[in-house]
Amino acid sequence: MSKIVYSVSELNQTAQSLLESHFSSIWVEGEISNLVRPSSGHLYFSLKDAKAQIRCAMFHHRQASLNFEPRNGLLVQVHAKVSLYLDRGDYQLIAEHLEMAGSGLLRKAYEALVQKLTLEGLFQEQWKKPLPLLPQQIGVVTSPTGAAIRDILSVLKRRFPKIPITVYPTKVQGNEAAFEIIKALSLANQQAIADVLILARGGGSLEDLWPFNEERVARAIFESAIPIVTGIGHEIDFTIADFVADRRAPTPSAAAELVTPHQHAFLQQLSACETRLTNGILKDLQRRAQHIDWLAKRLRHPGHHIQNQLQRLNMLKLRLKRVIHQHLKEKESALKLSLRALETVSPLATLNRGYAIVSAAHNSHIIRSIHEIKQGDKLQIKFKDGVIQAECC
């Protein structure tokens, strides 16, 4: 029977193939120790329990999903494939994902709650309240002793120091944190002195951030009448509170920047608005002045109108005098003609020709015939230059 002899390299390669084909994707739980991060950015550490340990490597491009800072002594779960380091013959884990121990159950609970609240519509854009352009007062719900409050106050002081700030102190980690966060949000809404709220804390593991993933906290944020901006953890951290809030900022400092305009930029914008408003008013006044000038040209002074009417009245007066004079002359001529015609048939004209008019003395009845009188009647005889009394005999 011939024997099979492997070289060391061949044996290691065979062992590597067997390990990688049988353990291509496994979860291993243990405590981090001997953690090293060289200049390449890769992570090298050991994973151990009470009886054994195994070497692990996590390459730089796999670390983007980390939501905590790995350190010695942390109990973690590693999703990895089993491999073998050919040069030394050491078998190792090539980590693809790393999370705090217990995060798996929390992650499942997180995803279930996200799905539930999504179906209820709590994350929909239609419920998001707009942020005030320039808050009259800002409320901050966070731990009074953490780094988050220092960062927020520093940013607010730098950007717009005149805006008043009310801090609602609360725990942001641990079993009591969710209750205190809800209590602080309720108090802020009861007081109603702030017109925007910042809900914030610094970074941490999934367990550290868990109060912001609780359903009761999410509903308290949704029911708040005051718009809420969250700044929880680091940029890669997303909590359910972020999804329900009216706006989400990647960090507490970014949340402070989001709720306030920069004082100098705001004043510049205000100055620009003032300039536009002033120019608009001046243009409107100029347009109205031009319109008034145009109306003034069309509008004549009442004195001019009266003067024109007086001149017209004088002209009419002169014309009336000429018409009346002409009319009187015409009437005078007609009257003279009538007088001449009247004189022609007038009894007086007859008297002027030597005739006399005889009438009864008692009633001035003109006697036209001798038969109209009798002896003893008294008569009146009218000559052109006088009247005499006579008696018929």
Side-chain angles (χ1 to χ4, degrees), residues 62-101:
R62 291 290 187 181
Q63 297 173 34
S65 62
L66 285 177
N67 58 5
F68 70 100
E69 185 67 28
R71 63 181 183 274
N72 290 325
L74 287 181
L75 185 64
V76 297
Q77 289 182 349
V78 180
H79 184 238
K81 65 180 180 179
V82 180
S83 184
L84 184 137
Y85 186 60
L86 295 176
D87 293 349
R88 290 197 302 266
D90 296 334
Y91 93 97
Q92 62 183 357
L93 297 180
I94 305 300
E96 297 179 345
H97 178 72
L98 189 65
E99 63 183 40
M100 300 282 289

Short mmCIF file of all heavy atoms in Angstrom, two decimals, residues 62-101:
data_model
loop_
_atom_site.label_atom_id
_atom_site.label_comp_id
_atom_site.label_asym_id
_atom_site.label_seq_id
_atom_site.Cartn_x
_atom_site.Cartn_y
_atom_site.Cartn_z
N ARG A 62 -15.47 46.29 4.99
CA ARG A 62 -16.61 45.68 5.68
C ARG A 62 -17.04 46.47 6.91
O ARG A 62 -18.04 46.16 7.54
CB ARG A 62 -16.24 44.26 6.12
CG ARG A 62 -16.08 43.27 4.98
CD ARG A 62 -17.42 42.96 4.35
NE ARG A 62 -17.33 41.88 3.36
CZ ARG A 62 -18.37 41.46 2.65
NH1 ARG A 62 -19.55 42.01 2.85
NH2 ARG A 62 -18.21 40.49 1.77
N GLN A 63 -16.32 47.52 7.26
CA GLN A 63 -16.58 48.22 8.52
C GLN A 63 -17.59 49.36 8.39
O GLN A 63 -17.94 50.00 9.38
CB GLN A 63 -15.26 48.77 9.08
CG GLN A 63 -14.26 47.68 9.42
CD GLN A 63 -12.91 48.25 9.81
OE1 GLN A 63 -12.83 49.33 10.42
NE2 GLN A 63 -11.83 47.54 9.48
N ALA A 64 -18.08 49.60 7.18
CA ALA A 64 -19.03 50.71 7.00
C ALA A 64 -20.33 50.48 7.76
O ALA A 64 -21.02 51.43 8.13
CB ALA A 64 -19.31 50.89 5.50
N SER A 65 -20.70 49.22 7.97
CA SER A 65 -21.97 48.91 8.64
C SER A 65 -21.86 48.94 10.17
O SER A 65 -22.87 48.75 10.86
CB SER A 65 -22.47 47.53 8.20
OG SER A 65 -21.54 46.52 8.57
N LEU A 66 -20.67 49.16 10.71
CA LEU A 66 -20.52 49.17 12.16
C LEU A 66 -21.25 50.36 12.78
O LEU A 66 -21.10 51.50 12.32
CB LEU A 66 -19.04 49.24 12.54
CG LEU A 66 -18.21 47.97 12.36
CD1 LEU A 66 -16.75 48.24 12.70
CD2 LEU A 66 -18.76 46.84 13.23
N ASN A 67 -22.06 50.11 13.80
CA ASN A 67 -22.73 51.21 14.51
C ASN A 67 -22.21 51.36 15.94
O ASN A 67 -22.88 51.93 16.80
CB ASN A 67 -24.24 51.00 14.52
CG ASN A 67 -24.66 49.69 15.16
OD1 ASN A 67 -23.82 48.97 15.69
ND2 ASN A 67 -25.95 49.38 15.11
N PHE A 68 -21.03 50.79 16.21
CA PHE A 68 -20.38 50.95 17.51
C PHE A 68 -18.87 50.83 17.29
O PHE A 68 -18.41 50.42 16.22
CB PHE A 68 -20.87 49.90 18.51
CG PHE A 68 -20.41 48.49 18.22
CD1 PHE A 68 -19.35 47.93 18.89
CD2 PHE A 68 -21.05 47.74 17.24
CE1 PHE A 68 -18.93 46.64 18.61
CE2 PHE A 68 -20.64 46.45 16.96
CZ PHE A 68 -19.57 45.89 17.64
N GLU A 69 -18.13 51.23 18.30
CA GLU A 69 -16.68 51.17 18.22
C GLU A 69 -16.19 49.88 18.91
O GLU A 69 -16.31 49.72 20.13
CB GLU A 69 -16.06 52.39 18.92
CG GLU A 69 -14.56 52.48 18.80
CD GLU A 69 -14.09 52.72 17.37
OE1 GLU A 69 -14.86 53.32 16.58
OE2 GLU A 69 -12.96 52.31 17.05
N PRO A 70 -15.67 48.94 18.14
CA PRO A 70 -15.19 47.69 18.76
C PRO A 70 -14.06 47.98 19.75
O PRO A 70 -13.19 48.82 19.50
CB PRO A 70 -14.68 46.88 17.57
CG PRO A 70 -15.39 47.46 16.38
CD PRO A 70 -15.54 48.90 16.67
N ARG A 71 -14.09 47.27 20.87
CA ARG A 71 -13.04 47.43 21.88
C ARG A 71 -12.92 46.13 22.68
O ARG A 71 -13.85 45.31 22.72
CB ARG A 71 -13.33 48.62 22.80
CG ARG A 71 -14.58 48.49 23.63
CD ARG A 71 -14.78 49.74 24.49
NE ARG A 71 -15.93 49.63 25.36
CZ ARG A 71 -17.17 49.94 25.02
NH1 ARG A 71 -17.40 50.43 23.81
NH2 ARG A 71 -18.16 49.79 25.89
N ASN A 72 -11.80 45.98 23.30
CA ASN A 72 -11.55 44.77 24.09
C ASN A 72 -12.58 44.64 25.22
O ASN A 72 -12.92 45.63 25.88
CB ASN A 72 -10.15 44.78 24.69
CG ASN A 72 -9.07 44.61 23.63
OD1 ASN A 72 -9.26 43.88 22.65
ND2 ASN A 72 -7.94 45.26 23.82
N GLY A 73 -13.04 43.41 25.41
CA GLY A 73 -13.97 43.13 26.50
C GLY A 73 -15.43 43.13 26.08
O GLY A 73 -16.29 42.71 26.84
N LEU A 74 -15.74 43.63 24.86
CA LEU A 74 -17.13 43.64 24.41
C LEU A 74 -17.55 42.25 23.96
O LEU A 74 -16.80 41.53 23.30
CB LEU A 74 -17.30 44.61 23.23
CG LEU A 74 -17.27 46.11 23.54
CD1 LEU A 74 -17.49 46.90 22.25
CD2 LEU A 74 -18.32 46.48 24.57
N LEU A 75 -18.78 41.88 24.35
CA LEU A 75 -19.35 40.62 23.89
C LEU A 75 -20.07 40.90 22.57
O LEU A 75 -21.00 41.71 22.53
CB LEU A 75 -20.33 40.08 24.93
CG LEU A 75 -20.92 38.69 24.64
CD1 LEU A 75 -19.82 37.62 24.65
CD2 LEU A 75 -22.01 38.34 25.66
N VAL A 76 -19.63 40.21 21.52
CA VAL A 76 -20.16 40.49 20.19
C VAL A 76 -20.57 39.20 19.49
O VAL A 76 -20.19 38.09 19.90
CB VAL A 76 -19.11 41.23 19.32
CG1 VAL A 76 -18.77 42.58 19.91
CG2 VAL A 76 -17.86 40.37 19.14
N GLN A 77 -21.33 39.38 18.42
CA GLN A 77 -21.65 38.30 17.51
C GLN A 77 -21.04 38.63 16.16
O GLN A 77 -21.18 39.77 15.68
CB GLN A 77 -23.17 38.11 17.38
CG GLN A 77 -23.82 37.53 18.62
CD GLN A 77 -25.31 37.31 18.43
OE1 GLN A 77 -25.90 37.76 17.46
NE2 GLN A 77 -25.91 36.59 19.38
N VAL A 78 -20.36 37.63 15.57
CA VAL A 78 -19.66 37.83 14.31
C VAL A 78 -20.30 36.95 13.24
O VAL A 78 -20.46 35.74 13.45
CB VAL A 78 -18.16 37.49 14.43
CG1 VAL A 78 -17.45 37.72 13.10
CG2 VAL A 78 -17.52 38.32 15.54
N HIS A 79 -20.68 37.60 12.13
CA HIS A 79 -21.13 36.83 10.97
C HIS A 79 -19.91 36.72 10.05
O HIS A 79 -19.38 37.72 9.57
CB HIS A 79 -22.28 37.54 10.26
CG HIS A 79 -22.84 36.76 9.11
ND1 HIS A 79 -22.89 37.25 7.83
CD2 HIS A 79 -23.36 35.51 9.07
CE1 HIS A 79 -23.43 36.35 7.03
NE2 HIS A 79 -23.73 35.28 7.77
N ALA A 80 -19.44 35.46 9.82
CA ALA A 80 -18.15 35.30 9.15
C ALA A 80 -18.11 33.99 8.37
O ALA A 80 -19.01 33.14 8.45
CB ALA A 80 -17.03 35.32 10.19
N LYS A 81 -17.07 33.87 7.63
CA LYS A 81 -16.73 32.58 7.00
C LYS A 81 -15.41 32.10 7.62
O LYS A 81 -14.54 32.90 7.99
CB LYS A 81 -16.62 32.71 5.49
CG LYS A 81 -15.49 33.59 5.00
CD LYS A 81 -15.48 33.63 3.49
CE LYS A 81 -14.33 34.52 2.97
NZ LYS A 81 -14.30 34.55 1.49
N VAL A 82 -15.28 30.76 7.73
CA VAL A 82 -14.08 30.17 8.35
C VAL A 82 -13.02 29.98 7.26
O VAL A 82 -13.31 29.47 6.17
CB VAL A 82 -14.40 28.83 9.02
CG1 VAL A 82 -13.15 28.24 9.66
CG2 VAL A 82 -15.51 29.00 10.06
N SER A 83 -11.83 30.40 7.55
CA SER A 83 -10.75 30.27 6.59
C SER A 83 -9.48 29.85 7.32
O SER A 83 -9.49 29.62 8.54
CB SER A 83 -10.53 31.59 5.83
OG SER A 83 -9.54 31.44 4.83
N LEU A 84 -8.40 29.74 6.56
CA LEU A 84 -7.12 29.32 7.15
C LEU A 84 -6.02 30.20 6.58
O LEU A 84 -5.97 30.45 5.37
CB LEU A 84 -6.84 27.85 6.85
CG LEU A 84 -5.58 27.24 7.48
CD1 LEU A 84 -5.89 25.86 8.03
CD2 LEU A 84 -4.45 27.18 6.48
N TYR A 85 -5.17 30.71 7.47
CA TYR A 85 -4.05 31.54 7.07
C TYR A 85 -2.91 30.62 6.65
O TYR A 85 -2.30 29.93 7.49
CB TYR A 85 -3.63 32.46 8.21
CG TYR A 85 -2.58 33.47 7.83
CD1 TYR A 85 -2.81 34.42 6.82
CD2 TYR A 85 -1.34 33.49 8.49
CE1 TYR A 85 -1.85 35.34 6.49
CE2 TYR A 85 -0.38 34.41 8.15
CZ TYR A 85 -0.64 35.34 7.14
OH TYR A 85 0.32 36.25 6.79
N LEU A 86 -2.67 30.57 5.35
CA LEU A 86 -1.76 29.55 4.80
C LEU A 86 -0.35 29.64 5.37
O LEU A 86 0.29 28.61 5.64
CB LEU A 86 -1.72 29.67 3.27
CG LEU A 86 -3.03 29.36 2.54
CD1 LEU A 86 -2.88 29.63 1.04
CD2 LEU A 86 -3.43 27.90 2.76
N ASP A 87 0.16 30.84 5.57
CA ASP A 87 1.57 30.98 5.97
C ASP A 87 1.85 30.34 7.32
O ASP A 87 2.93 29.77 7.54
CB ASP A 87 1.96 32.45 6.00
CG ASP A 87 1.95 33.07 4.61
OD1 ASP A 87 1.84 32.31 3.63
OD2 ASP A 87 2.04 34.32 4.49
N ARG A 88 0.87 30.47 8.26
CA ARG A 88 1.12 29.94 9.60
C ARG A 88 0.29 28.69 9.90
O ARG A 88 0.46 28.07 10.94
CB ARG A 88 0.81 31.01 10.64
CG ARG A 88 1.79 32.17 10.65
CD ARG A 88 1.69 32.97 11.95
NE ARG A 88 0.35 33.49 12.15
CZ ARG A 88 -0.04 34.70 11.79
NH1 ARG A 88 0.83 35.52 11.17
NH2 ARG A 88 -1.26 35.11 12.02
N GLY A 89 -0.64 28.40 9.06
CA GLY A 89 -1.49 27.25 9.31
C GLY A 89 -2.52 27.49 10.39
O GLY A 89 -3.10 26.56 10.94
N ASP A 90 -2.77 28.77 10.72
CA ASP A 90 -3.77 29.11 11.73
C ASP A 90 -5.13 29.28 11.04
O ASP A 90 -5.24 30.00 10.03
CB ASP A 90 -3.40 30.42 12.44
CG ASP A 90 -2.10 30.29 13.23
OD1 ASP A 90 -1.79 29.16 13.63
OD2 ASP A 90 -1.43 31.33 13.41
N TYR A 91 -6.14 28.68 11.62
CA TYR A 91 -7.46 28.93 11.05
C TYR A 91 -8.06 30.15 11.73
O TYR A 91 -7.76 30.45 12.89
CB TYR A 91 -8.34 27.67 11.13
CG TYR A 91 -9.23 27.54 12.32
CD1 TYR A 91 -10.57 27.91 12.25
CD2 TYR A 91 -8.74 26.99 13.52
CE1 TYR A 91 -11.39 27.76 13.35
CE2 TYR A 91 -9.56 26.83 14.60
CZ TYR A 91 -10.90 27.22 14.53
OH TYR A 91 -11.73 27.07 15.61
N GLN A 92 -8.92 30.85 11.02
CA GLN A 92 -9.42 32.15 11.49
C GLN A 92 -10.81 32.41 10.93
O GLN A 92 -11.28 31.73 10.01
CB GLN A 92 -8.46 33.27 11.06
CG GLN A 92 -8.34 33.40 9.55
CD GLN A 92 -7.32 34.48 9.13
OE1 GLN A 92 -6.76 35.16 9.97
NE2 GLN A 92 -7.10 34.61 7.84
N LEU A 93 -11.43 33.46 11.49
CA LEU A 93 -12.73 33.93 10.99
C LEU A 93 -12.51 35.20 10.17
O LEU A 93 -11.84 36.13 10.64
CB LEU A 93 -13.68 34.23 12.15
CG LEU A 93 -14.08 33.05 13.04
CD1 LEU A 93 -15.03 33.53 14.13
CD2 LEU A 93 -14.72 31.93 12.23
N ILE A 94 -13.09 35.25 8.97
CA ILE A 94 -13.08 36.47 8.16
C ILE A 94 -14.45 37.13 8.36
O ILE A 94 -15.47 36.69 7.81
CB ILE A 94 -12.84 36.16 6.68
CG1 ILE A 94 -11.54 35.36 6.51
CG2 ILE A 94 -12.78 37.46 5.87
CD1 ILE A 94 -10.31 36.06 7.03
N ALA A 95 -14.47 38.15 9.21
CA ALA A 95 -15.74 38.77 9.62
C ALA A 95 -16.34 39.62 8.49
O ALA A 95 -15.65 40.43 7.88
CB ALA A 95 -15.52 39.62 10.86
N GLU A 96 -17.62 39.41 8.24
CA GLU A 96 -18.36 40.22 7.27
C GLU A 96 -19.30 41.20 7.96
O GLU A 96 -19.65 42.23 7.40
CB GLU A 96 -19.14 39.31 6.33
CG GLU A 96 -18.23 38.41 5.48
CD GLU A 96 -19.02 37.51 4.56
OE1 GLU A 96 -20.25 37.37 4.77
OE2 GLU A 96 -18.42 36.93 3.65
N HIS A 97 -19.71 40.86 9.18
CA HIS A 97 -20.60 41.76 9.95
C HIS A 97 -20.33 41.54 11.43
O HIS A 97 -20.07 40.42 11.87
CB HIS A 97 -22.07 41.46 9.63
CG HIS A 97 -23.02 42.32 10.42
ND1 HIS A 97 -23.20 43.66 10.19
CD2 HIS A 97 -23.84 42.01 11.46
CE1 HIS A 97 -24.09 44.14 11.04
NE2 HIS A 97 -24.50 43.16 11.81
N LEU A 98 -20.40 42.65 12.18
CA LEU A 98 -20.10 42.59 13.60
C LEU A 98 -21.14 43.40 14.35
O LEU A 98 -21.43 44.55 13.98
CB LEU A 98 -18.70 43.16 13.85
CG LEU A 98 -18.10 43.01 15.25
CD1 LEU A 98 -17.87 41.54 15.57
CD2 LEU A 98 -16.78 43.78 15.33
N GLU A 99 -21.75 42.79 15.39
CA GLU A 99 -22.73 43.53 16.17
C GLU A 99 -22.63 43.10 17.63
O GLU A 99 -22.10 42.03 17.95
CB GLU A 99 -24.15 43.32 15.65
CG GLU A 99 -24.64 41.89 15.74
CD GLU A 99 -26.03 41.71 15.14
OE1 GLU A 99 -26.32 42.32 14.09
OE2 GLU A 99 -26.81 40.95 15.75
N MET A 100 -23.14 43.99 18.48
CA MET A 100 -23.11 43.68 19.91
C MET A 100 -23.97 42.46 20.18
O MET A 100 -25.00 42.24 19.55
CB MET A 100 -23.64 44.87 20.71
CG MET A 100 -22.85 46.16 20.52
SD MET A 100 -21.31 46.16 21.45
CE MET A 100 -21.95 46.32 23.11
N ALA A 101 -23.56 41.63 21.12
CA ALA A 101 -24.34 40.45 21.48
C ALA A 101 -25.71 40.89 21.97
O ALA A 101 -25.84 41.85 22.73
CB ALA A 101 -23.62 39.65 22.55
#
